[in-house]
Amino acid sequence: MKTLVVYSTETGNTKKVAEAIAKALPGAELYDVKAAPDPAAYDFIAMGFWVDKGGPNKEAAEYMKKICGKKVFTFFTLGANPDSMHAKTCAEAAPKSYGEGTEQVAAFWCQGAIAPNLIAWMRKMPAGNPHAPTPEAEKRWAEAAKHPDETDLQHAAQAAAEALAKVQA
Ligand SMILES: Cc1cc2nc3c(=O)[nH]c(=O)nc-3n(C[C@H](O)[C@H](O)[C@H](O)COP(=O)(O)O)c2cc1C
């Protein structure tokens, strides 16, 4: 089975998850989306994005549209709590980003450290703004800064390996 792992990253979080996944999938080829090959030549694709304003970041979304008629494993990192409604909404929307006939076998997501410049920008927001620096937001940003951690990487690798096994069964 020809296996491809593609990721898009701005600050490295999604790349770390992609590397852990690639190690867990025998013979997998790993590419940054900027240099990724035509997905048509592969049987199983693990596709990773970072959440940008509630959805897959633009470069990942453009590539996902080109993945047609494949079995895929989706993974993503985001600043929000992975158990939040926001994370669930992102997860539910992800399968719709693929091209025609693509079936998402499974998905994995975890928090990823938020870029310091974005945090600095949010800290300047006035009270009442959805991005304003409340104590809860500061707590969430501090928690995000610890991810992806070793446990996240292990879980990602395991979920991807299970998805591949399901496709091969
Ligand atoms: C411009 C921008 C927009 C973002 N939008 C969201 C968002 O809507 N929801 C969220 O939970 N995290 C958001 N984040 C946080 C990133 O998704 C998160 O830090 C991710 O792990 C970054 O991945 P990367 O290191 O692979 O680039 C945003 C980050 C940036 C820089």
Side-chain angles (χ1 to χ4, degrees), residues 17-33:
V17 179
E19 286 169 346
I21 287 172
K23 269 193 214 152
L25 304 178
E29 294 176 33
L30 173 67
Y31 287 94
D32 185 316
V33 73

PDB file of all heavy atoms in Angstrom, residues 17-33:
ATOM      1  N   VAL A  17       3.705  16.402  14.629  1.00  0.00           N
ATOM      2  CA  VAL A  17       2.694  15.333  14.614  1.00  0.00           C
ATOM      3  C   VAL A  17       2.864  14.498  13.340  1.00  0.00           C
ATOM      4  O   VAL A  17       2.826  13.264  13.380  1.00  0.00           O
ATOM      5  CB  VAL A  17       1.266  15.927  14.716  1.00  0.00           C
ATOM      6  CG1 VAL A  17       0.221  14.820  14.673  1.00  0.00           C
ATOM      7  CG2 VAL A  17       1.116  16.754  15.992  1.00  0.00           C
ATOM      8  N   ALA A  18       3.102  15.179  12.225  1.00  0.00           N
ATOM      9  CA  ALA A  18       3.274  14.476  10.939  1.00  0.00           C
ATOM     10  C   ALA A  18       4.467  13.525  11.001  1.00  0.00           C
ATOM     11  O   ALA A  18       4.395  12.396  10.497  1.00  0.00           O
ATOM     12  CB  ALA A  18       3.469  15.493   9.825  1.00  0.00           C
ATOM     13  N   GLU A  19       5.548  13.962  11.617  1.00  0.00           N
ATOM     14  CA  GLU A  19       6.746  13.119  11.700  1.00  0.00           C
ATOM     15  C   GLU A  19       6.475  11.862  12.537  1.00  0.00           C
ATOM     16  O   GLU A  19       6.921  10.771  12.188  1.00  0.00           O
ATOM     17  CB  GLU A  19       7.916  13.922  12.267  1.00  0.00           C
ATOM     18  CG  GLU A  19       8.464  14.900  11.236  1.00  0.00           C
ATOM     19  CD  GLU A  19       9.460  15.916  11.798  1.00  0.00           C
ATOM     20  OE1 GLU A  19       9.553  16.061  13.033  1.00  0.00           O
ATOM     21  OE2 GLU A  19      10.112  16.587  10.986  1.00  0.00           O
ATOM     22  N   ALA A  20       5.732  12.041  13.629  1.00  0.00           N
ATOM     23  CA  ALA A  20       5.393  10.890  14.478  1.00  0.00           C
ATOM     24  C   ALA A  20       4.508   9.913  13.707  1.00  0.00           C
ATOM     25  O   ALA A  20       4.688   8.688  13.795  1.00  0.00           O
ATOM     26  CB  ALA A  20       4.684  11.370  15.750  1.00  0.00           C
ATOM     27  N   ILE A  21       3.577  10.450  12.937  1.00  0.00           N
ATOM     28  CA  ILE A  21       2.673   9.603  12.148  1.00  0.00           C
ATOM     29  C   ILE A  21       3.455   8.863  11.058  1.00  0.00           C
ATOM     30  O   ILE A  21       3.268   7.657  10.850  1.00  0.00           O
ATOM     31  CB  ILE A  21       1.531  10.464  11.559  1.00  0.00           C
ATOM     32  CG1 ILE A  21       0.562  10.856  12.681  1.00  0.00           C
ATOM     33  CG2 ILE A  21       0.812   9.752  10.418  1.00  0.00           C
ATOM     34  CD1 ILE A  21      -0.505  11.854  12.289  1.00  0.00           C
ATOM     35  N   ALA A  22       4.331   9.573  10.382  1.00  0.00           N
ATOM     36  CA  ALA A  22       5.098   8.956   9.285  1.00  0.00           C
ATOM     37  C   ALA A  22       5.929   7.776   9.810  1.00  0.00           C
ATOM     38  O   ALA A  22       6.050   6.750   9.131  1.00  0.00           O
ATOM     39  CB  ALA A  22       5.980  10.000   8.611  1.00  0.00           C
ATOM     40  N   LYS A  23       6.469   7.924  11.013  1.00  0.00           N
ATOM     41  CA  LYS A  23       7.278   6.843  11.600  1.00  0.00           C
ATOM     42  C   LYS A  23       6.427   5.604  11.872  1.00  0.00           C
ATOM     43  O   LYS A  23       6.925   4.485  11.880  1.00  0.00           O
ATOM     44  CB  LYS A  23       7.882   7.310  12.926  1.00  0.00           C
ATOM     45  CG  LYS A  23       9.245   7.939  12.760  1.00  0.00           C
ATOM     46  CD  LYS A  23       9.897   8.081  14.133  1.00  0.00           C
ATOM     47  CE  LYS A  23      10.750   9.339  14.171  1.00  0.00           C
ATOM     48  NZ  LYS A  23      10.886   9.900  15.487  1.00  0.00           N
ATOM     49  N   ALA A  24       5.138   5.829  12.133  1.00  0.00           N
ATOM     50  CA  ALA A  24       4.245   4.723  12.514  1.00  0.00           C
ATOM     51  C   ALA A  24       3.632   4.017  11.298  1.00  0.00           C
ATOM     52  O   ALA A  24       2.986   2.981  11.459  1.00  0.00           O
ATOM     53  CB  ALA A  24       3.134   5.247  13.418  1.00  0.00           C
ATOM     54  N   LEU A  25       3.806   4.591  10.108  1.00  0.00           N
ATOM     55  CA  LEU A  25       3.203   4.006   8.907  1.00  0.00           C
ATOM     56  C   LEU A  25       4.320   3.450   8.015  1.00  0.00           C
ATOM     57  O   LEU A  25       5.062   4.242   7.408  1.00  0.00           O
ATOM     58  CB  LEU A  25       2.380   5.062   8.152  1.00  0.00           C
ATOM     59  CG  LEU A  25       1.272   5.756   8.950  1.00  0.00           C
ATOM     60  CD1 LEU A  25       0.570   6.807   8.090  1.00  0.00           C
ATOM     61  CD2 LEU A  25       0.268   4.748   9.483  1.00  0.00           C
ATOM     62  N   PRO A  26       4.434   2.131   7.905  1.00  0.00           N
ATOM     63  CA  PRO A  26       5.559   1.544   7.168  1.00  0.00           C
ATOM     64  C   PRO A  26       5.662   2.067   5.736  1.00  0.00           C
ATOM     65  O   PRO A  26       4.666   2.080   5.009  1.00  0.00           O
ATOM     66  CB  PRO A  26       5.232   0.041   7.172  1.00  0.00           C
ATOM     67  CG  PRO A  26       4.274  -0.151   8.301  1.00  0.00           C
ATOM     68  CD  PRO A  26       3.515   1.126   8.449  1.00  0.00           C
ATOM     69  N   GLY A  27       6.862   2.514   5.388  1.00  0.00           N
ATOM     70  CA  GLY A  27       7.120   2.958   4.013  1.00  0.00           C
ATOM     71  C   GLY A  27       6.504   4.299   3.638  1.00  0.00           C
ATOM     72  O   GLY A  27       6.538   4.691   2.467  1.00  0.00           O
ATOM     73  N   ALA A  28       5.940   5.002   4.611  1.00  0.00           N
ATOM     74  CA  ALA A  28       5.243   6.256   4.284  1.00  0.00           C
ATOM     75  C   ALA A  28       6.219   7.325   3.776  1.00  0.00           C
ATOM     76  O   ALA A  28       7.340   7.434   4.264  1.00  0.00           O
ATOM     77  CB  ALA A  28       4.522   6.777   5.518  1.00  0.00           C
ATOM     78  N   GLU A  29       5.752   8.080   2.802  1.00  0.00           N
ATOM     79  CA  GLU A  29       6.528   9.230   2.316  1.00  0.00           C
ATOM     80  C   GLU A  29       5.962  10.474   2.989  1.00  0.00           C
ATOM     81  O   GLU A  29       4.743  10.653   3.053  1.00  0.00           O
ATOM     82  CB  GLU A  29       6.385   9.343   0.797  1.00  0.00           C
ATOM     83  CG  GLU A  29       7.018   8.179   0.058  1.00  0.00           C
ATOM     84  CD  GLU A  29       6.764   8.264  -1.447  1.00  0.00           C
ATOM     85  OE1 GLU A  29       6.685   9.388  -1.992  1.00  0.00           O
ATOM     86  OE2 GLU A  29       6.618   7.196  -2.061  1.00  0.00           O
ATOM     87  N   LEU A  30       6.850  11.344   3.472  1.00  0.00           N
ATOM     88  CA  LEU A  30       6.445  12.526   4.242  1.00  0.00           C
ATOM     89  C   LEU A  30       6.788  13.804   3.478  1.00  0.00           C
ATOM     90  O   LEU A  30       7.932  13.986   3.062  1.00  0.00           O
ATOM     91  CB  LEU A  30       7.181  12.499   5.591  1.00  0.00           C
ATOM     92  CG  LEU A  30       7.052  13.713   6.507  1.00  0.00           C
ATOM     93  CD1 LEU A  30       5.631  13.874   7.028  1.00  0.00           C
ATOM     94  CD2 LEU A  30       8.020  13.581   7.693  1.00  0.00           C
ATOM     95  N   TYR A  31       5.798  14.681   3.315  1.00  0.00           N
ATOM     96  CA  TYR A  31       6.023  15.939   2.595  1.00  0.00           C
ATOM     97  C   TYR A  31       5.332  17.114   3.268  1.00  0.00           C
ATOM     98  O   TYR A  31       4.196  16.987   3.728  1.00  0.00           O
ATOM     99  CB  TYR A  31       5.430  15.863   1.181  1.00  0.00           C
ATOM    100  CG  TYR A  31       6.193  14.997   0.219  1.00  0.00           C
ATOM    101  CD1 TYR A  31       5.828  13.668   0.037  1.00  0.00           C
ATOM    102  CD2 TYR A  31       7.260  15.515  -0.514  1.00  0.00           C
ATOM    103  CE1 TYR A  31       6.516  12.853  -0.863  1.00  0.00           C
ATOM    104  CE2 TYR A  31       7.945  14.706  -1.413  1.00  0.00           C
ATOM    105  CZ  TYR A  31       7.572  13.386  -1.581  1.00  0.00           C
ATOM    106  OH  TYR A  31       8.250  12.580  -2.465  1.00  0.00           O
ATOM    107  N   ASP A  32       6.011  18.251   3.228  1.00  0.00           N
ATOM    108  CA  ASP A  32       5.356  19.530   3.497  1.00  0.00           C
ATOM    109  C   ASP A  32       4.413  19.768   2.317  1.00  0.00           C
ATOM    110  O   ASP A  32       4.771  19.455   1.175  1.00  0.00           O
ATOM    111  CB  ASP A  32       6.434  20.633   3.562  1.00  0.00           C
ATOM    112  CG  ASP A  32       5.858  21.985   3.962  1.00  0.00           C
ATOM    113  OD1 ASP A  32       4.790  22.370   3.430  1.00  0.00           O
ATOM    114  OD2 ASP A  32       6.473  22.651   4.797  1.00  0.00           O
ATOM    115  N   VAL A  33       3.248  20.318   2.574  1.00  0.00           N
ATOM    116  CA  VAL A  33       2.265  20.512   1.499  1.00  0.00           C
ATOM    117  C   VAL A  33       2.852  21.352   0.356  1.00  0.00           C
ATOM    118  O   VAL A  33       2.463  21.196  -0.806  1.00  0.00           O
ATOM    119  CB  VAL A  33       0.957  21.133   2.068  1.00  0.00           C
ATOM    120  CG1 VAL A  33       1.121  22.599   2.424  1.00  0.00           C
ATOM    121  CG2 VAL A  33      -0.197  20.925   1.114  1.00  0.00           C
TER     122      VAL A  33
END
